[in-house]
Amino acid sequence: MSFQRAIPQVNPANGFALPGGGADPIWSIYRNLRDAASAFGLKPKVMQTLAALLSCLKPGKGTICFASNNELQRRLAGVSDKTIRRHIAELAAAGVLQRHDSPNGKRYSSRDPLSGEVEAYGIDLNPMIQKAPLWEKALAELESEAGRIRHCRTKLLARLARIDAHGDIQIDTDAIRKILRRKSVTCQDIEGLLHAAEKALGSMEGSALPSSETAATAGIAAQPQMSASGGQNDRNLSKSETKDKEIDSTRLNSTTTSGTIGEVLGKLHRACNDAMQFALEPIGSWQGVHRHAKMLAPMIGIDKGLIEAARIRLGDDQAALSIIAMVQLQPRVRNMQAYFRSLITGRRSDGFNVARLLDKMEMSSMRRKPGLAA
């Protein structure tokens, strides 16, 4: 059996002796190279072949491997001879090892008994040892890059969560999260996405600030000291304004339901024809509208919690109509769940009116039909 032939201890100047005379240093170097292999285009299977070559060395007996390909196949659990040759060629191209081929293609050594000169033919792993600082530096750079990616990824996910809370539909947060799951994503890619998310978030939060916090702060700073009666008048005015808003909201929510169910269904078929085509049975009552909306909601990512929030905010009828309208608008909205949340509980909730939305959708549908345009 052709295998690791032990050669006599030679002078380190000849390049055949391991540093320190032991196996631990070379395996430490191997681990650094293995962990940084991607930086040099070396795949895990190639590194397994390198480990098999190293396992054929005897501590203190030099850095040339004399094991045959048959022995390497045994240690690699039956990997083909062609694969081993390809792996060795890739390692040589990466500067990890150097081949010394004999005239007959076998791996062996010959020593002159008088002069002690050694003639060795095999796979020399000394280049891997000599380049130990290179492997160590590459590994440190990879670990630094990985740490930077983790940090930027954490920041980006936090920004995306805040964007979802605002309900902005111009940024597809789900698509960005899919990009983050790719193994090929780089630090530069994540930094670019983070910059875009921070810019969008800044415009969203900056535009909301003057109408709420800044205006309120400015009003408090500018108002003079009030008497007790003046404060009471302000409280009465505030209650009156709140009551007016509640009356307006009730009026808006009852706009659509004020008509007969036939009128409502006619409007739905004209404004949301595609969404109504999904009906499993003819719809002729509000109960049928509710069942149809409940069936459609999961199709566009609206969960039970969001449906309940819509029912509380709009009422059962208005919530069902809004869901059917969202199904019709689905092709035009990137993130429907976030968009619907913004209409129900977000910044757009104050001005959201289902009747007005259906009217616009009905007019748009009629314009697209030939012969119905004004």
Side-chain angles (χ1 to χ4, degrees):
M1 180 180 65
S2 179
F3 157 67
Q4 44 179 344
R5 297 192 55 183
I7 61 174
Q9 181 70 37
V10 297
N11 194 314
N14 294 335
F16 299 148
L18 290 174
D24 286 344
I26 201 170
W27 283 109
S28 177
I29 295 171
Y30 167 79
R31 285 190 291 271
N32 289 341
L33 175 57
R34 177 199 61 195
D35 295 341
S38 60
F40 302 97
L42 299 175
K43 298 181 179 179
K45 293 294 185 181
V46 178
M47 298 308 300
Q48 292 177 8
T49 300
L50 177 60
L53 291 170
L54 291 173
S55 68
C56 294
L57 298 178
K58 283 189 175 182
K61 297 298 183 178
T63 60
I64 295 184
C65 173
F66 297 101
S68 65
N69 283 2
N70 290 335
E71 174 62 16
L72 294 175
Q73 283 182 276
R74 186 185 70 82
R75 299 197 181 205
L76 290 171
V79 174
S80 68
D81 179 76
K82 182 178 180 180
T83 299
I84 291 177
R85 292 178 185 275
R86 186 179 73 252
H87 290 175
I88 292 175
E90 292 179 11
L91 290 167
V96 178
L97 55 81
Q98 186 176 3
R99 290 184 294 188
H100 300 287
D101 298 329
S102 66
N104 60 6
K106 297 184 180 296
R107 298 166 188 153
Y108 62 90
S109 65
S110 177
R111 179 176 179 274
D112 188 342
L114 297 179
S115 63
E117 180 184 359
V118 176
E119 189 75 5
Y121 301 100
I123 300 175
D124 189 2
L125 297 168
N126 191 53
M128 186 191 76
I129 300 172
Q130 300 299 326
K131 295 181 179 180
L134 177 61
W135 317 139
E136 186 175 358
K137 179 181 178 182
L139 178 58
E141 292 177 351
L142 283 179
E143 290 176 345
S144 177
E145 179 81 1
R148 177 65 180 168
I149 288 177
R150 284 193 300 269
H151 177 68
C152 292
R153 185 177 182 275
T154 301
K155 290 177 62 178
L156 179 56
L157 289 174
R159 304 305 186 269
L160 294 179
R162 289 165 61 185
I163 291 174
D164 286 339
H166 281 278
D168 189 275
I169 65 171
Q170 297 183 1
I171 294 183
D172 192 346
T173 55
D174 290 338
I176 295 177
R177 290 187 177 93
K178 290 180 181 179
I179 293 175
L180 290 179
R181 289 194 289 268
R182 297 175 184 171
K183 292 183 178 180
S184 60
V185 66
T186 64
C187 186
Q188 290 76 13
D189 295 335
I190 299 178
E191 287 178 345
L193 294 173
L194 178 60
H195 176 73
E198 288 181 339
K199 183 178 180 181
L201 189 60
S203 63
M204 292 162 55
E205 295 181 343
S207 61
L209 185 60
S211 61
S212 56
E213 297 179 3
T214 304
T217 305
I220 293 173
Q223 66 182 6
Q225 186 175 1
M226 294 184 179
S227 63
S229 60
Q232 182 67 34
N233 292 335
D234 285 344
R235 284 192 292 273
N236 292 335
L237 179 60
S238 177
K239 291 180 180 179
S240 177
E241 291 175 350
T242 303
K243 187 175 181 179
D244 290 342
K245 288 182 179 179
E246 292 176 352
I247 294 173
D248 291 341
S249 177
T250 303
R251 185 181 298 116
L252 287 176
N253 289 340
S254 62
T255 301
T256 303
T257 56
S258 61
T260 64
I261 183 61
E263 294 174 351
V264 173
L265 290 175
K267 183 180 287 291
L268 281 177
H269 280 287
R270 291 189 298 271
C272 307
N273 184 57
D274 294 340
M276 296 300 288
Q277 293 295 328
F278 290 104
L280 301 178
E281 58 184 3
I283 300 174
S285 64
W286 277 113
Q287 289 74 16
V289 174
H290 296 167
R291 288 194 299 269
H292 187 49
K294 185 177 180 180
M295 185 269 293
L296 292 177
M299 296 172 56
I300 56 175
I302 298 178
D303 54 23
K304 293 182 179 179
L306 197 51
I307 294 175
E308 184 63 23
R311 290 178 62 249
I312 295 173
R313 171 71 175 80
L314 304 174
D316 292 345
D317 298 343
Q318 295 283 322
L321 294 177
S322 64
I323 291 173
I324 295 174
M326 294 302 107
V327 175
Q328 185 70 26
L329 295 174
Q330 168 69 13
R332 298 163 52 187
V333 181
R334 293 183 180 178
N335 190 340
M336 178 54 72
Q337 186 182 34
Y339 178 56
F340 189 63
R341 185 184 294 110
S342 71
L343 295 177
I344 301 304
T345 61
R347 294 183 300 139
R348 298 180 175 87
S349 59
D350 291 339
F352 179 53
N353 182 357
V354 181
R356 191 160 51 242
L357 175 61
L358 290 177
D359 288 340
K360 291 182 179 178
M361 294 173 65
E362 182 182 9
M363 293 179 62
S364 176
S365 177
M366 293 177 65
R367 290 193 189 100
R368 289 195 298 269
K369 293 180 180 180
L372 296 179

